[in-house]
C-alpha cells in the first residue's frame, strides 16, 4: 500500500479508471449471481414445498434489482473511444467516494445479503424496506434539506440601489 499523501491526492489515469471499472462491474455481477444462485438452489432443493407466491415474487424482484444495478453500472462506466481507438472518456469512476457508483454498489450489497439471509427466514425480506428508506435519506440530505433550510440571502448593495430606485419611482407617481 502506498504511503498516504500529505498534499493533493493524485488523480487516476483513464486506463486505470477503465480497468478498475471493468473489475468492479465483474465483481458485483459475480456477487449478485452467487447470491441469486445460492438462494434458488437451496430453495429449490430444501424448501420447494413451502415456496409461496410472495417468496417467488420477492426473489424475482431482487433479481430485477440485480439486473437494473448491473445495467446502470455498465452504462455509467461505459468508455468512449476516438476513431483511432484512443480513450476519450473512461466513463464515470465507479470507485469514486460519494459518487453514483458507490450508491449502486450499496444496493447490490444489501440485496445480496438479504437474498442469502432469506434462506434462513422469510422475515429477512423485510430488510428490503431499507432501500427506499436510504433513497429518501439521500434525497433529503442532498436535495430537499438544503433547499428547505437554506439561509435567506442578505440585501446586497445592488438590491439596495434597486429598492431606492423603486421608492423614487413610487414617489414620482404620487
Amino acid at each position: 500500500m502506498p504511503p498516504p499523501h500529505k498534499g493533493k491526492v493524485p488523480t487516476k489515469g483513464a486506463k486505470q479508471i477503465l480497468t478498475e471499472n471493468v473489475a468492479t462491474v465483474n465483481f458485483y455481477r459475480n456477487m449478485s449471481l452467487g447470491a441469486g444462485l445460492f438462494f434458488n438452489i437451496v430453495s429449490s432443493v430444501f424448501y420447494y414445498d413451502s415456496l409461496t407466491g410472495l417468496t417467488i415474487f420477492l426473489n424475482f424482484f431482487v433479481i430485477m434489482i440485480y439486473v437494473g444495478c448491473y445495467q446502470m453500472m455498465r452504462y455509467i462506466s461505459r468508455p468512449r473511444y476516438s476513431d483511432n481507438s484512443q480513450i476519450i472518456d473512461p466513463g464515470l469512476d465507479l470507485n469514486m467516494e460519494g459518487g453514483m457508483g458507490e450508491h449502486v454498489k450499496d444496493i447490490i450489497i444489501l440485496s445480496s445479503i438479504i437474498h442469502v439471509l432469506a434462506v434462513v427466514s422469510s422475515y429477512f425480506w423485510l430488510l428490503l424496506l431499507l432501500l427506499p428508506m436510504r433513497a429518501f435519506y439521500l434525497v433529503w440530505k442532498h436535495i430537499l434539506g438544503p433547499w428547505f433550510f437554506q439561509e435567506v440571502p442578505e440585501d446586497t448593495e445592488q438590491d439596495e440601489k434597486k429598492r431606492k430606485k423603486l421608492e423614487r419611482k413610487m414617489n414620482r407617481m404620487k
Side-chain angles (χ1 to χ4, degrees):
M1 183 168 182
H5 296 288
K6 293 183 180 180
K8 182 180 169 188
V9 177
T11 57
K12 295 181 185 179
K15 275 189 169 182
Q16 183 181 4
I17 291 174
L18 186 62
T19 56
E20 287 179 0
N21 281 349
V22 169
T24 301
V25 169
N26 289 338
F27 175 78
Y28 285 97
R29 180 201 60 210
N30 294 341
M31 177 189 287
S32 58
L33 282 173
L37 284 173
F38 177 76
F39 177 83
N40 287 310
I41 289 172
V42 170
S43 295
S44 63
V45 171
F46 295 110
Y47 303 115
Y48 182 74
D49 297 338
S50 63
L51 283 179
T52 64
L54 181 63
T55 304
I56 294 169
F57 170 75
L58 290 171
N59 181 36
F60 181 73
F61 180 68
V62 170
I63 290 172
M64 288 299 103
I65 290 174
Y66 293 150
V67 170
C69 288
Y70 173 70
Q71 291 298 325
M72 170 82 92
M73 287 174 67
R74 280 190 51 214
Y75 179 75
I76 63 178
S77 67
R78 185 177 56 207
R80 287 189 346 190
Y81 294 99
S82 66
D83 294 335
N84 58 357
S85 299
Q86 293 289 328
I87 298 175
I88 296 174
D89 179 26
L92 188 72
D93 186 5
L94 294 176
N95 299 315
M96 181 174 51
E97 225 176 279
M100 183 67 171
E102 185 175 319
H103 300 303
V104 175
K105 292 187 297 187
D106 289 345
I107 292 170
I108 292 174
I109 291 168
L110 180 64
S111 300
S112 297
I113 291 170
I114 292 169
H115 217 173
V116 170
L117 289 176
V119 170
V120 177
S121 172
S122 293
Y123 289 109
F124 282 111
W125 289 116
L126 291 172
L127 291 175
L128 282 174
L129 294 173
L130 292 173
L131 291 174
M133 289 169 51
R134 170 83 172 153
F136 179 75
Y137 169 75
L138 289 173
V139 167
W140 179 262
K141 182 180 174 188
H142 296 290
I143 298 171
L144 296 177
W147 185 70
F148 281 127
F149 299 114
Q150 70 182 350
E151 303 222 358
V152 177
E154 295 181 22
D155 287 341
T156 60
E157 188 176 316
Q158 187 177 8
D159 290 338
E160 185 69 28
K161 287 179 182 178
K162 285 182 182 180
R163 188 180 56 77
K164 285 182 181 179
K165 186 177 179 182
L166 244 162
E167 284 177 4
R168 284 191 302 244
K169 202 180 218 183
M170 294 301 278
N171 287 336
R172 279 190 227 142
M173 294 177 105
K174 290 182 182 179

